Amino acid sequence: MNRCALALLLFTTLAWADEPQLRVQARLVPGDAVVVGEAVQLQVDVLTDSWFTRGASLPELSLAGTDVMPPNGEAEHLSQTIQGQTFSGLRYTYRITPTQAQAFSIAPLTVRATPAQASHELSGQTPALTFRASLPEGFSPGEPVLAASALRLSQSLTPSGGPFKVGDSLTRSVTLQADGTPGLALPAPPLASVAGLGAYPQTPQVSNLDDGRGGFNGGQRIDRVRYRIEREGDFELPAIRVKWWDSVNRKTRFSELPAVTFKATASSSYTPVFSIVDDLKQMGQPTRLRLPAFWLVGAAVLLLAVALYVNRGRLLHVLNAVRYWLRNRPPHQDYGLRPLNPRHEKDFQK
C-alpha cells in the first residue's frame, strides 16, 4: 500500500514538473512621457518555455481621456532568455493616444493562454503602469493637437476645369495623411463658406493605413464639400492651413494648401422679359401665346369680309340665278290621290 502511494506521489510530482510556464511582461514605448496627440505603445509580451498552438486572450483596455486602438489579432513572434532558460512567445501592442494633458494610470491586465503540453489554461498579469501627457510647445489648452512623424496634405477639384455656369456644382476634396497617428485622431481641416456658393459638406472618410501586411502605419481622413454656384462672378475657395506637431524633430510645423479660384458665368446670354416663360420651361411645358377673345372674333369677321370681297363675282352670279328661278318657276299644281276603295269613287266625284 505504501509502495503504491509513493509511486502515485512520484508520478504527480513529475507531471507538475513537466507543466509549462507562462510569463507576462509589459512596457510603454517610447516611455512614460508623451505629448497630447502622440501615441504611446503598450507592448504586452506573452512567453512560455513550451510553445503556443494558438494566440493568447487579452482583455479590452479602456482609458478615459485617450483613444485606444487594441491589438489587431496578429502578434509579433519573439524569443527571450530568462535566467538561462529560453522562452518563446508573442508580443501584442495597444496604441494609446492621449487627448488631454494629464497623468494616466493603466491597471494590471489579465492575460490567458494555453501553451502546448499544458493540462489547463494558464493566466498572468501585467504590472501597473503610468505615463503623463503634456501639451506640445506652441499649442494652447483646448486647441486640437495633431502629432505625427510625417504629414501629407493634398486637394482636388471635381470637375477640374471650367467653364462654370450658374447652377453648376463642383466638389473640393481634401486628403490628410499622418504617419504614426490613427485616422480617428485626425482633426477636420478648416473649410470656410464662400458668399455666392451653397456649401454641402459630405460625410468624411476616415481609415487607417497599413504596410500591406496588416501592420499599422498611420491614418487618413478625406473631407469633401460640394458647392453649388448661385450667382455669376469670380470665386475663391480659401487656402487651408494645418498645424501639427513633428514627433521626430520635436517641433511645431504647418502644412498648407493653396486657394482655388474660378469664374462662373450666367447660364444663358438672353434673359426673357416675362418670368412666365422661365416657369413654363422649368415645368417642361411649351410656351403658349394667349390672345383676348374679342381679338379672335374681330379677326374672324375680317377674314370673312375679305373672302366675300374676293368672291363677289361668283356671289352675284348665284344671286341672279336664284332671282331668275323665283320669277320663272312653274305654277303650283294640286295632285289628287286615288281612293283606296274603287266602289266609292262616285262619292268622290260628287
Side-chain angles (χ1 to χ4, degrees):
M1 186 69 179
N2 292 335
R3 292 181 180 180
C4 292
L6 181 62
L8 180 60
L9 178 62
L10 180 61
F11 178 79
T12 304
T13 303
L14 292 176
W16 279 103
D18 292 337
E19 191 75 16
Q21 302 180 52
L22 181 69
R23 296 197 177 191
V24 179
Q25 301 175 347
R27 68 185 60 83
L28 293 174
V29 178
D32 58 359
V34 293
V35 300
V36 174
E38 186 177 24
V40 58
Q41 297 183 11
L42 172 60
Q43 295 181 351
V44 178
D45 296 343
V46 185
L47 305 171
T48 182
D49 55 352
S50 176
W51 65 90
F52 290 109
T53 57
R54 61 175 181 270
S57 175
L58 282 79
E60 180 180 354
L61 175 60
S62 179
L63 201 58
T66 68
D67 293 329
V68 180
M69 181 186 299
N72 59 4
E74 295 186 4
E76 177 185 353
H77 293 268
L78 52 90
S79 179
Q80 187 176 353
T81 300
I82 302 176
Q83 297 178 353
Q85 189 174 0
T86 301
F87 285 80
S88 62
L90 304 170
R91 173 172 293 171
Y92 298 90
T93 302
Y94 295 87
R95 298 186 63 88
I96 306 172
T97 304
T99 58
Q100 301 176 6
Q102 65 179 60
F104 297 93
S105 298
I106 304 176
L109 303 177
T110 300
V111 181
R112 303 181 183 279
T114 306
Q117 300 178 349
S119 60
H120 60 282
E121 184 181 62
L122 305 179
S123 65
Q125 282 191 332
T126 63
L129 299 172
T130 61
F131 70 95
R132 173 173 290 275
S134 59
L135 282 175
E137 182 180 356
F139 288 82
S140 57
E143 183 180 5
V145 179
L146 170 56
S149 58
L151 187 138
R152 293 169 295 280
L153 192 62
S154 62
Q155 69 175 339
S156 63
L157 191 68
T158 307
S160 57
F164 296 105
K165 297 181 179 180
V166 175
D168 288 348
S169 296
L170 59 153
T171 301
R172 186 185 195 183
S173 300
V174 177
T175 301
L176 174 63
Q177 293 181 338
D179 292 346
T181 301
L184 292 176
L186 300 180
L191 298 172
S193 59
V194 180
L197 298 178
Y200 304 93
Q202 310 296 305
T203 303
Q205 296 180 356
V206 180
S207 60
N208 290 328
L209 304 176
D210 57 46
D211 56 5
R213 299 185 300 273
F216 173 81
N217 271 357
Q220 175 178 273
R221 180 187 176 108
I222 303 177
D223 290 87
R224 294 184 176 89
V225 178
R226 184 172 64 88
Y227 296 97
R228 186 179 186 276
I229 304 175
E230 298 176 344
R231 61 170 176 83
E232 60 179 326
D234 296 324
F235 297 93
E236 178 180 288
L237 303 181
I240 296 176
R241 192 183 195 201
V242 176
K243 181 181 179 181
W244 61 288
W245 172 257
D246 186 345
S247 59
V248 175
N249 299 300
R250 317 303 294 177
K251 60 187 299 186
T252 302
R253 292 184 179 274
F254 294 91
S255 295
E256 297 186 5
L257 290 175
V260 178
T261 59
F262 62 92
K263 183 176 182 179
T265 59
S267 58
S268 176
S269 59
Y270 169 74
T271 303
V273 178
F274 301 102
S275 61
I276 186 64
V277 177
D278 290 336
D279 295 339
L280 290 173
K281 288 181 178 179
Q282 293 178 2
M283 295 172 60
Q285 299 177 0
T287 303
R288 298 185 179 94
L289 181 63
R290 298 182 180 273
L291 296 176
F294 69 90
W295 283 19
L296 297 176
V297 174
V301 172
L302 180 60
L303 290 175
L304 180 60
V306 171
L308 293 175
Y309 178 78
V310 173
N311 298 279
R312 62 186 183 279
R314 294 181 181 179
L315 291 176
L316 184 59
H317 178 73
V318 171
L319 290 175
N320 290 335
V322 171
R323 289 173 183 174
Y324 178 81
W325 180 81
L326 291 175
R327 288 196 301 263
N328 299 283
R329 63 181 179 176
H332 178 72
Q333 297 182 3
D334 294 330
Y335 299 91
L337 297 176
R338 294 176 60 86
L340 297 177
N341 192 349
R343 289 176 296 182
H344 298 279
E345 183 177 355
K346 58 183 180 178
D347 298 332
F348 287 94
Q349 291 178 356
K350 293 179 181 182

